[in-house]
Amino acid sequence: SVSAGLCAFAAGWLSSKKIGSGGIINGAACALLIYALILIISAIIMPQAISVMSLYHGIIMILSGAIGGIVGANMSARRKII
């Protein structure tokens, strides 16, 4: 759960930092994509592994990705003035 949340945070942060705007949407979308891939692979490998905890992990990942997106978008907005 922690590693999935950190992965989603990093994905949201990197995507929003690169784009520079729409942090919450970009971060949540990246996390949702990662969650969907993990869920599909889990369903193929072990169908009985999908449970309520899977939904819990998805919520954590989407929230972490959205927070990472916000942080990434705000970091890209800062410019050094010389």
Side-chain angles (χ1 to χ4, degrees):
S1 173
V2 174
S3 62
L6 288 175
C7 177
F9 180 86
W13 179 69
L14 288 173
S15 69
S16 294
K17 187 173 181 186
K18 189 164 187 105
I19 294 172
S21 64
I24 195 165
I25 295 171
N26 289 329
C30 284
L32 185 63
L33 180 64
I34 293 169
Y35 173 67
L37 288 172
I38 290 172
L39 195 63
I40 290 169
I41 292 170
S42 295
I44 292 171
I45 294 173
M46 290 184 1
Q48 67 275 14
I50 298 175
S51 65
V52 176
M53 286 301 285
S54 301
L55 181 63
Y56 173 70
H57 287 154
I59 291 169
I60 288 176
M61 288 180 70
I62 292 170
L63 289 175
S64 297
I67 292 169
I70 292 169
V71 171
N74 286 333
M75 286 184 75
S76 68
R78 294 183 186 169
R79 305 229 192 300
K80 291 184 179 180
I81 299 173
I82 299 174

